[in-house]
Amino acid sequence: MCIITISRGSYSSGKEVAEKVAACLHYDCVSRDILLEASDRYEVDEIKLVKAIHDAPSILERRGRKKETYIAYIRSALVSRVRSDNVVYHGLAGHLLLRGIPHVVKVRIIADIDRRSAMEAQREGITLEKARSAIIADDEQRRKWTQSLYGVDPWDSSLYDLVVKVDRLSIADAVDIVCDAAKREAFKTTPASQQKMEDLVTACAVKAALIEEFPEVMVLSEYGNVIIHSASGGRHAQKIRKAVGALETTIGGINSIEVHADGNAPPGSV
Amino acid sequence: MTIIAISSDSYRMGREIGEKISKRLGYRYLDREILKEISAGSGISEGKLLKALEKTPSALGMSARDQAVYLAHIEKKVIGEFLKDNVVCHGLAAHLYVLGVSHVLKVRVLSNPEVLGKELAPGKDLSGDAMEKLIGRNENARKRWSLKAFSLDETDPSNYDMVISLNKIEINEAVKSIAEAVGYKKFKAMSYSLKCLKDEETAAEARTILFPRFPDAQVRANGPTVVVITKGMKREKQKKALIIKEMVGKIPGVNFVEVHIVNDILRQAAESLR
C-alpha cells in the first residue's frame, strides 16, 4: 500500500505507464480530476487552476500571489484524495505537492526528444521541427514553473526515487520497474507515515482556507496540533486568530490551533 | 553478451553496487583497477589516467590535449573488454562513450545525500545547508568534467536508461532492479549492436594514435572505414591528410581512411595579420 506519483513531460508516455501501473497494482489512477475536485471545493474556475499549475507565474502574478492561492487549493484537493493510499497520481508536480510523505514513490518517466517530437507531430499533424520547438517550449515552461514556486529543477534526478527512460526500455518494462519499486518495504505505509499524511491533509486544508486573506501564512500540523506562522507581525496575527476560530469545526482532525507571529516557519510547513 | 555501465555520484557506492550486480549475474566486474593494465600498455602513468577521469583540464593542471589522449586509451581498453564478455563496468566513464550501443544498460545511482556528504567531507560535521552546497559543487564539477571530456552532461538523466536514488531504495533492492532490467530483450547483444561496439573500439584506437598530434580530430569508424575530420590551413591540407591516412591506416582491420580537413579560420586570420 503506497502512493505513486509519476512526473512526466508531454509525450513521454508517462500517462500510459501510470495507467498500466494502476491497473497492475489495482490502484486508482488520478490526474486532472484533482483540478475538478479543487474547482468544486473552492469554487474556482477549472481553467484558472489549469493555468496555475501549468504556466510559470509572470512578474505581476508573483506579486499578486494568485497562483500560489490556486496551488494551495490544488494541493489540498490532492492530499485529501490520496490520503487513503493505493493511488497513482500522474498530474503535475505530485512529487513536490506530496513532499515529506515517506510512503510516496516518486517516479519520473522521460523519453528521447526525437521520439516525443515524432509523437507530437503525428498527433497534431505538424512538422517535426515545429513539434520539437513546441516540446522544448513546454519543457521550459515546466522548468520555470517549478523553479519559481519550489526553487528546484524538475530535471534534477535527486527529486525522484526512480527515473525511467522509455526508449530502449519499453512501456511494459517501465511498468514492471515501477510496480516492483512500489512493493518495496521502504514505501509501505506505516502508522507514522500515515500520521504524517493526515497532518499534511490538515495543514493543507487550513492553508487553503486562509491563503486568500493571509497569503503569507505557513501552516504546520503535528498530530492535529496546528501551528500557523505569520511573518506580518502581532496585529496581523490577531486577525488570523479571529479567522481560524471557525476552522476547528469545519476542518476535521484539528486538536488545537496556535498562531505565531515570528514568521520562522519550521521545515515541513506548507 | 550484455554490458551494464554504472555511473554514480559516489565512487564507493557505485563500486559496491557494481560488485554486487556482477556477483549476482556472474558477470565480470570492471573498474579503475584496469588502469594498471592501461598504464602498462600505453606508458602513461596510472595517476595521470586517474586524473583524466576526475579532473577538468586547466591552465595550471592537465592540458585538454593530454586528457583527450589519456581518455582515448581508457576508452580503447574498456571497449575491448566489453567485446569479450558479459561485463559490469563502473568508474571508467563508459556510460559516456558507448551511448549509441544498444545492448549497454546505462544506469545512474544517486547516493543518499547524508552518506554522500560524509564521503565528500570525511570527519566533518556539516550542517544541512553546507552539505547541500558541497553536494551541489561536486555535481557541478562532474558536469563540467563530462561536458569538457565528452560533450555530454553526466548528470542529465536522459543519458541513462534508469536513474535510481538510494534515498529510500536500499542498495540490495537497487541491485535487484538493475539485474532484472538487464534481462529485458533490448539489452541483448545483436550483430548490429556488436558492430557498433567494434566501430567504437576502432575509433578509440584511432584517437589514441591521432590525438597527440591532432587533438581536435573527430573520428568515426564504420567497419573497415575510418572517417577523420580535423582543422587545417589550405596549404597544408594535402600533407595533413596523407599523414593521418598513414597513421590510421596501420590499425589492423582498417582498409580505408577518409580525411576531411576543415579550414582553420582562426589560424588563417592570425597568419594574415602577421
Side-chain angles (χ1 to χ4, degrees), chain A residues 101-106 108 110-112 155-170 172-174 176-177 180-181 184-187, chain B residues 99 101-106 108 110 139 155-170 172-174 176-177 180-181 184-187:
Chain A
I101 304 299
H103 58 274
V104 175
V105 190
K106 296 180 284 290
R108 181 159 176 86
I110 58 174
D112 190 67
W155 284 89
D156 177 359
S157 310
S158 65
L159 296 174
Y160 311 94
D161 297 300
L162 207 57
V163 181
V164 182
K165 185 176 179 183
V166 176
D167 182 13
R168 286 179 308 148
L169 286 169
S170 65
D173 299 338
D176 274 356
I177 292 168
D180 200 39
R184 307 274 190 227
E185 201 57 42
F187 298 111
Chain B
L99 212 61
V101 181
S102 68
H103 68 275
V104 181
L105 171 68
K106 289 170 278 287
R108 183 159 170 83
L110 301 175
E139 191 174 300
T155 65
D156 181 353
S158 60
N159 289 327
Y160 303 92
D161 297 298
M162 202 167 29
V163 183
I164 301 175
S165 165
L166 298 180
N167 238 340
K168 277 194 276 174
I169 295 175
E170 285 182 9
N172 289 337
E173 290 170 341
K176 185 173 173 270
S177 297
E180 282 172 4
Y184 296 127
K185 63 177 180 187
K186 287 280 174 70
F187 301 108

Side-chain angles (χ1 to χ4, degrees), chain A residues 6 17 39 48 57 60-61 82 94 115 118 128 131 135 147 153 168 179 196-197 199 206 211 231 252 258 268:
Chain A
I6 294 187
V17 172
S39 164
K48 286 181 181 170
L60 284 176
E61 279 172 331
V82 302
R115 178 191 158 106
L128 271 177
I135 284 173
Q147 274 173 341
D153 182 349
R168 286 179 308 148
C179 288
K196 276 198 169 183
M197 186 77 219
D199 281 330
V206 171
I211 193 165
E258 281 177 37

Side-chain angles (χ1 to χ4, degrees), chain A residues 90-229:
Chain A
H90 65 92
L92 295 163
H95 57 292
L96 296 169
L97 300 176
L98 293 171
R99 266 198 297 199
I101 304 299
H103 58 274
V104 175
V105 190
K106 296 180 284 290
V107 179
R108 181 159 176 86
I109 301 293
I110 58 174
D112 190 67
I113 185 83
D114 292 336
R115 178 191 158 106
R116 296 170 67 194
S117 308
M119 282 170 80
E120 163 130 3
Q122 193 182 16
R123 199 171 299 179
E124 303 294 327
I126 54 176
T127 63
L128 271 177
E129 288 74 30
K130 275 189 182 169
R132 194 182 172 91
S133 305
I135 284 173
I136 290 170
D138 193 53
D139 283 350
E140 195 48 38
Q141 195 65 242
R142 302 292 331 131
R143 202 183 285 259
K144 278 186 192 162
W145 184 91
T146 319
Q147 274 173 341
S148 65
L149 288 161
Y150 293 96
V152 290
D153 182 349
W155 284 89
D156 177 359
S157 310
S158 65
L159 296 174
Y160 311 94
D161 297 300
L162 207 57
V163 181
V164 182
K165 185 176 179 183
V166 176
D167 182 13
R168 286 179 308 148
L169 286 169
S170 65
I171 290 175
D173 299 338
V175 171
D176 274 356
I177 292 168
V178 177
C179 288
D180 200 39
K183 289 172 193 160
R184 307 274 190 227
E185 201 57 42
F187 298 111
K188 290 218 167 111
T189 310
T190 62
S193 70
Q194 187 58 38
Q195 183 58 51
K196 276 198 169 183
M197 186 77 219
E198 296 301 328
D199 281 330
L200 184 64
V201 172
T202 307
C204 287
V206 171
K207 170 107 177 183
L210 294 175
I211 193 165
E212 191 145 38
E213 204 178 342
F214 309 102
E216 85 295 346
V217 291
M218 294 297 284
V219 185
L220 180 73
S221 170
E222 281 179 341
Y223 294 91
N225 302 310
V226 177
I227 303 171
I228 299 166
H229 292 266

